[in-house]
Amino acid sequence: PRVTESTWHTKVHIAETKFLWYFEDKPMNEIKLRDIMQWQNQLIQMKTKDGEEYTKKYLKTVQTQLSPVFNHAVKYYDLPRNPVKDAETIDAERSLRINFLTK
């Protein structure tokens, strides 16, 4: 009741197409930081129906949708930690910067 129907459908679509398929065979309490990092790598390699890469902003949005699922389990089902919080965020801003070392 706290979100509109269209928002709910968007969240369900993102969950079904971007992360449930990856974690479906693993209980939440067994998902660790390394699993989140591997999922992020898979997500980055995914393409749109047209064969285009997803934007960093969209990838960050997808990751942002996964974290509340774990937060809910932490709050209501005694999951010890949210592994998404421990992972680096797919950051649209940071991806535009080029870091290099100089002497």
Side-chain angles (χ1 to χ4, degrees):
R2 296 181 182 182
V3 296
T4 65
E5 188 174 344
S6 64
T7 299
W8 175 255
H9 288 297
T10 299
K11 290 177 180 292
V12 168
H13 173 75
I14 288 174
E16 289 175 346
T17 61
K18 302 301 184 282
F19 56 81
L20 287 179
W21 62 269
Y22 190 84
F23 297 110
E24 68 185 345
D25 294 328
K26 196 168 213 173
M28 286 184 80
N29 63 343
E30 293 180 12
I31 297 173
K32 306 296 181 208
L33 173 59
R34 69 179 169 273
D35 300 311
I36 299 299
M37 293 170 63
Q38 290 169 346
W39 166 75
Q40 287 175 326
N41 289 334
Q42 290 286 320
L43 188 63
I44 290 167
Q45 294 175 9
M46 290 176 81
K47 307 281 185 199
T48 66
K49 291 178 185 176
D50 299 329
E52 300 290 323
E53 291 183 354
Y54 287 108
T55 65
K56 296 292 183 189
K57 184 176 179 180
Y58 180 73
L59 296 175
K60 182 178 180 178
T61 298
V62 171
Q63 181 170 338
T64 302
Q65 295 299 315
L66 178 59
S67 192
V69 174
F70 281 94
N71 286 340
H72 182 81
V74 168
K75 186 172 182 178
Y76 296 106
Y77 296 100
D78 298 322
L79 186 71
R81 293 186 59 81
N82 176 349
V84 180
K85 283 187 175 181
D86 295 334
E88 284 191 38
T89 304
I90 300 171
D91 191 349
E93 291 293 317
R94 196 167 15 151
S95 67
L96 299 176
R97 286 191 239 140
I98 300 172
N99 296 319
F100 58 93
L101 298 175
T102 59
K103 199 169 185 179

